[in-house]
Every structure is written in C-alpha cells, then in structure tokens.
Amino acid sequence: MKEVVFSGVAPSGNIHIGNYLGAIEQWVELQSSNKYQNIFCIVDEHAITVPQNPEKLREKIREVTLLYLALGIDPKKSTIFIQSHVSEHAELAWLLNTVTPLGDLQRMTQFKDKAKKQKSILAGLFNYPVLMAADILLYQTSVVPVGEDQVQHVELTREIAKKFNNLYGEVFRIPNVALKKETKRIMGLDDPTKKMSKSAENPANYIALLDAPDVIRKKIKSAVTDSGTEIKYDLENKPAISNLLTIYGGFAKKPINEIEKIYQGKGYAEFKKDLAEIIVTELAPLQVKYKGLEKNPRKVKKILKDGAKAAKKIASQTLKAAKNAMGL
Ligand code: TYM
C-alpha cells in the first residue's frame, strides 16, 4: 500500500498566496510524484472554532473546494472531501481528547495568538489541535505538507499518537511534517514581522488567490518596503524586501540570488512592478479554471460525494480500531 499524504485548509477568510506557496503547491507536487495516496480535506469543522456566519461559511467551503481543483488537485489522483461529511473526524477527536494533556494545548502558540483576538474564547478553539490530530491519524498518514505555522500542531499530533499507542496498543501511524524550505512562511505585505494571514483585518496584508489583476498590482505597489534602495535578501535588516524576494522566487521558480542579480542597481519600484506582473500571470490560469468550475456545480458535488465515501472507508476502520483498543 502507498503511504498517505494528508492536509487541509480551513475555509475561513480569503485563501492567499501564502497558503499556496507554503502548503498547496507541495500537495500538487506530491500528487504528481505518484508515490502517495493523497487525501486533501476542506476542514470546515476547524473554521467554526471561531464564530462564522452560516451563509458565508457555506460560500467559503465551496470556494476552497473550487480552489483545490483549480490549483491542480486532481480527483483522479487525490481524494478531496469536506471534513464534516465524514463524522469520524469529530468522533476520533473526542477519543483523542481523553489522552491529551491540558498543558500541551495551553502551550500552542496559534491558540494563544487567536485567543487574543476573541472576545469570548470558545472551547473548540482550545481543542482545535486535537481535531487536527484526528484528521491526520484517521488516515494513517505518513506525510503532512503544511506551512511552518502548523508544525507545532503536527508535533502535538505525533505526541498524541505515541501516547495513545503506548496506552492502548499500536493503532496509529506516527506522521511526519513536510515543509517547503523557501516558502514555508510568507509574511504580511503590510507588516513583514507577522505572517500573511487570511483572517487579517487589513486586506492589504495578503494577496488572495482570487484577487483581480489590478488589486494585485495595487497591493504589491503599496506593500511595505525597508529603508535603503538595494534589492537584497537580508531577513534581519530588510525583512520586507526579503519577503517580496521569497514571493518572487516562489512564483518565478528562481533562486533568490539570481533575482538579486537581475535587480542589481535597480530600484524598489521596478522590482515591485515586475513582481506584480509575475503574480498576475501565475494566478491567471487558476482564476480562469475557477470560473469554469463555478459553472459546473454538479461535477463538483459528485467529486465531494465520491471523496467523502472514499475517506469514510479508511476513517471508519481506524476509528473502529481505536474504539476497540480503548474498550469501547
Ligand atoms: P490554514 O487554513 O490556516 O492554512 C492552510 C495552509 O496554509 C499554510 N499557511 C502558510 N504557509 C506559508 N505562509 C503563510 N503565511 C501561511 N499561512 C498559512 C498553513 O500552514 C496550512 O498548511 N489547522 C490547519 C488546517 C488543518 C490541517 C489539518 C492541516 C486542519 N486539519 C490536518 C494539515 C493536516 C489550518 O488552519 O491551516
């Protein structure tokens, strides 16, 4: 049997170039290696760990599904499904909650960051990493391709799996994280000290995959830069230009030192103008495919139905083994 790749995006906010360069691009690469069984989930039950408007959430779930497909996740090679369509996720999360120390969840930096922004902190937000562990462990996953901000959650997943296996016998495979070295952390265009975030209040923080060309040009033009004039990768002294170089390299598929050479003696304005055009050009085919898929809701519904069926087949076996091991 092939080893399993599993990952997901939460359908909240606007999916941006950080999500693509950090995570989804890896999925497409892993898929085309033909080495793995690929499972990609739209993790809607994660989205509801902060308050959501039901109508908007429904729309976002649809948007993320279409983006997966438009970005090249191929239902013939990968299983694509919606988390809430496979009830085993919520059920295994409950079982895993009973082996997860409270202190481990209190350490999660993403929880601490997100909690700061909430008026009332929901128990679901606190337990979110346990649901993520369930997502991964249900499929006996080997490889979890994500951005750097999810590493701590995958590490916790490993700990939860080991603890469960120690207590109840070998039920879960221990997964490994996969990161894309260059683009694992894309920073905000408005503040290069914070990661690009789909829940950012200021849309100038990110470039959404569905942003129109003129919006992309405007956002890149107004992106924060550093003092000086040189186009040079220097995280400490030039965090903003370094981030733009990373994005440039990610889309143009060029090493950073080559890009630095191209812009030797040239200014920020010229660099930014070219960068905007590269992003516009690279996102254009995806946006065309997205529009095409929008016209074919029946096809998409069928993909999700088949995906949920295939996912459930695996998930139900693992859940059964976990319950059995626990004496339930
Ligand atoms: P989410 O929806 O916040 O982000 C989706 C993916 O994008 C990556 N990412 C980034 N990569 C580089 N630079 C950035 N600025 C950036 N922002 C986000 C994330 O690391 C992620 O890979 N909890 C997860 C979803 C999830 C999941 C899972 C992932 C739920 N269950 C099981 C893997 C396996 C999340 O909220 O990602």
Side-chain angles (χ1 to χ4, degrees), residues 10 18-19 23 46 128 132 135 146-147 149-150 184 186 196 198:
N19 300 125
H46 276 89
Y128 169 120
M132 182 158 158
D135 300 339
V146 284
D149 62 327
Q150 296 300 320
K184 63 187 181 203
I186 301 294
M196 186 175 280
K198 54 180 142 82

Side-chain angles (χ1 to χ4, degrees), residues 6-12 16 18-23 27 43 46 83 110 114 128 131-132 135-136 144-150 153 183-187 195-198:
F6 181 97
S7 199
V9 171
S12 55
H16 53 65
N19 300 125
Y20 174 64
L21 294 174
W27 308 0
V43 288
H46 276 89
Q83 186 183 31
Q110 195 168 69
K114 284 193 176 174
Y128 169 120
L131 180 59
M132 182 158 158
D135 300 339
I136 296 168
V144 188
V146 284
E148 193 180 48
D149 62 327
Q150 296 300 320
H153 293 158
T183 51
K184 63 187 181 203
R185 190 173 177 82
I186 301 294
M187 309 308 276
K195 70 162 187 168
M196 186 175 280
S197 163
K198 54 180 142 82

Side-chain angles (χ1 to χ4, degrees), residues 10-83:
S12 55
N14 291 313
I15 310 302
H16 53 65
I17 56 172
N19 300 125
Y20 174 64
L21 294 174
I24 305 173
E25 195 180 23
Q26 289 193 78
W27 308 0
V28 180
E29 287 163 5
L30 288 161
Q31 173 187 266
S32 58
S33 77
N34 283 326
K35 267 181 25 202
Y36 300 96
Q37 179 179 2
N38 310 287
I39 308 178
F40 300 116
C41 183
I42 295 109
V43 288
D44 54 350
E45 290 171 331
H46 276 89
I48 55 170
T49 57
V50 295
Q52 299 286 349
N53 168 300
E55 273 320 305
K56 283 197 187 134
L57 178 61
R58 221 185 303 284
E59 179 47 36
K60 280 287 155 194
I61 294 169
R62 186 187 76 102
E63 183 183 302
V64 175
T65 309
L66 298 193
L67 280 173
Y68 281 13
L69 296 168
L71 285 166
I73 302 302
D74 176 356
K76 289 197 197 82
K77 293 185 178 170
S78 299
T79 297
I80 304 168
F81 74 103
I82 294 174
Q83 186 183 31

Side-chain angles (χ1 to χ4, degrees), residues 218-230:
K218 218 166 127 196
K219 285 184 178 179
I220 291 292
K221 198 171 175 194
S222 65
V224 170
T225 47
D226 312 290
S227 55
T229 54
E230 224 186 334

Side-chain angles (χ1 to χ4, degrees), residues 140-289:
Q140 305 294 355
T141 303
S142 296
V143 185
V144 188
V146 284
E148 193 180 48
D149 62 327
Q150 296 300 320
V151 169
Q152 198 185 29
H153 293 158
V154 180
E155 278 167 2
L156 179 66
T157 300
R158 289 168 58 90
E159 291 316 308
I160 293 173
K162 284 182 199 161
K163 177 127 184 257
F164 188 102
N165 287 352
N166 276 336
L167 283 168
Y168 299 115
E170 292 291 314
V171 172
F172 300 119
R173 180 170 185 129
I174 313 299
N176 290 305
V177 75
L179 293 175
K180 198 148 178 158
K181 198 166 133 253
E182 299 82 8
T183 51
K184 63 187 181 203
R185 190 173 177 82
I186 301 294
M187 309 308 276
L189 298 178
D190 59 341
D191 178 359
T193 64
K194 297 205 181 81
K195 70 162 187 168
M196 186 175 280
S197 163
K198 54 180 142 82
S199 56
E201 265 169 41
N202 181 2
N205 167 272
Y206 55 78
I207 289 179
L209 295 177
L210 295 174
D211 273 347
D214 277 344
V215 174
I216 297 174
R217 291 186 184 108
K218 218 166 127 196
K219 285 184 178 179
I220 291 292
K221 198 171 175 194
S222 65
V224 170
T225 47
D226 312 290
S227 55
T229 54
E230 224 186 334
I231 315 292
K232 191 171 161 19
Y233 190 88
D234 176 350
L235 269 187
E236 209 168 296
N237 301 307
K238 290 196 156 235
I241 290 297
S242 300
N243 187 44
L244 296 181
L245 275 165
T246 301
I247 295 170
Y248 193 124
F251 279 112
K253 303 271 170 290
K254 278 202 173 88
I256 303 252
N257 57 0
E258 228 174 83
I259 307 167
E260 285 173 340
K261 270 189 211 141
I262 301 174
Y263 291 96
Q264 240 168 27
K266 296 180 180 164
Y268 289 163
E270 189 173 349
F271 170 66
K272 278 178 151 188
K273 203 162 166 262
D274 291 352
L275 172 59
E277 292 316 312
I278 286 171
I279 301 174
V280 167
T281 309
E282 288 300 311
L283 295 186
L286 140 83
Q287 298 188 351
V288 171
K289 272 193 216 147

